[in-house]
Amino acid sequence: MLGTVEVAVVRLAAFIIAFAFLFGVAAERPAPVRPYRLAYSGSGLNHLAVVSDSYTTGTKEGGLGAKSWTSIAWRILNREGVRVSADVAAEGRAGYGVRGDHGSVFADLTGRVVHPDDELVVFFGSRNDQGVDPETYAEVTRNTLESARRMAPAAKLLVIGPPWPTADVPEVVTQLRDILYTEARAVGASWVDPLAERWFVGRPELIGSDGVHPNDAGHAYLADKIAPLIGTRLTRRL
């Protein structure tokens, strides 16, 4: 026969097993969690995605939080009656062919933020791709842009090339620009060339002390440049 202690242990074990069974049935499969997307009521909302690098994340030089060009651009568009729900995936040091601070390339970022109902997908950058073999670069840019096309077949694509803050652009960056232009046009994307348009050239007050990244004023400048490019490609107005 079992002693008093043994009986107590058996009863406790039975209680634990029964409790675990009941709890497991009640919480057998947790509900999946989707990334948060800002939503408004009504039909005037434009869904879009942005894929970029540290020119969009902001840095210690400027452009953090509400001072990023994306945040400023959405406020500009909202004042003009263009409301957006934007998913932004940007990673410092990332490019089409170079992995960023958290191990992502633009294709990875694309997969995180592009949705079937997007009206526009924006790619911006990247000067970080210096050092990537040209043939490899052509392949990865093509694959990235085509993946966005597959994920959001009705979306327009806007590809903004790499910027450079001075007039003396390295030849390798010009070569990257030319390859990206070719691949963007091949998939029917709109193309904007900050090098040809001389973004930041002659405006050192817009670049931080590192000589590379835009400061807060530089992000406001980017918003003024990019907001109209986005707004003209969105169809829904208040």
Side-chain angles (χ1 to χ4, degrees):
M1 294 181 62
L2 297 175
T4 303
V5 174
E6 288 85 352
V7 170
V9 171
V10 170
R11 288 177 177 175
L12 178 60
F15 173 78
I16 293 172
I17 293 170
F19 181 81
F21 174 77
L22 291 173
F23 183 83
V25 170
E28 178 180 357
R29 192 180 297 273
V33 178
R34 279 195 66 191
Y36 175 79
R37 299 189 77 194
L38 181 64
Y40 297 92
S41 60
S43 59
L45 185 65
N46 298 272
H47 293 287
L48 64 98
V50 178
V51 175
S52 187
D53 54 21
S54 58
Y55 263 60
T56 297
T57 63
T59 66
K60 65 180 182 180
E61 304 295 336
L64 296 175
K67 295 182 178 181
S68 68
W69 75 258
T70 49
S71 296
I72 300 170
W74 311 153
R75 295 196 293 271
I76 292 172
L77 291 171
N78 187 63
R79 290 197 298 267
E80 297 174 353
V82 182
R83 291 194 300 180
V84 301
S85 173
D87 292 305
V88 180
E91 187 171 309
R93 295 188 176 90
Y96 290 93
V98 172
R99 297 196 176 277
D101 292 334
H102 302 287
S104 304
V105 293
F106 277 13
D108 301 319
L109 303 178
T110 299
R112 293 172 197 165
V113 293
V114 176
H115 299 272
D117 61 342
D118 285 335
E119 185 171 351
L120 178 67
V121 180
V122 180
F123 292 91
F124 179 26
S126 171
R127 59 179 283 157
N128 299 320
D129 284 307
Q130 298 175 67
V132 179
D133 174 76
E135 290 187 6
T136 301
Y137 183 70
E139 181 180 358
V140 295
T141 53
R142 182 184 316 121
N143 291 342
T144 302
L145 299 178
E146 288 178 346
S147 70
R149 180 69 76 201
R150 287 192 302 271
M151 286 184 277
K156 304 178 184 73
L157 299 186
L158 171 61
V159 179
I160 304 173
W164 197 265
T166 62
D168 54 337
V169 183
E171 183 178 351
V172 63
V173 176
T174 302
Q175 184 181 34
L176 292 174
R177 184 272 314 272
D178 293 344
I179 295 172
L180 183 57
Y181 166 77
T182 299
E183 300 303 333
R185 301 302 291 177
V187 299
S190 299
W191 167 254
V192 175
D193 185 358
L195 300 183
E197 296 183 10
R198 297 170 66 85
W199 289 11
F200 294 109
V201 174
R203 301 292 303 275
E205 74 278 8
L206 302 179
I207 299 297
S209 59
D210 66 356
V212 175
H213 295 97
N215 53 27
D216 288 341
H219 273 263
Y221 171 85
L222 283 173
D224 287 338
K225 291 284 188 183
I226 300 175
L229 299 174
I230 291 175
T232 57
R233 290 168 172 83
L234 300 177
T235 59
R236 299 180 181 91
R237 299 291 192 274
L238 293 177

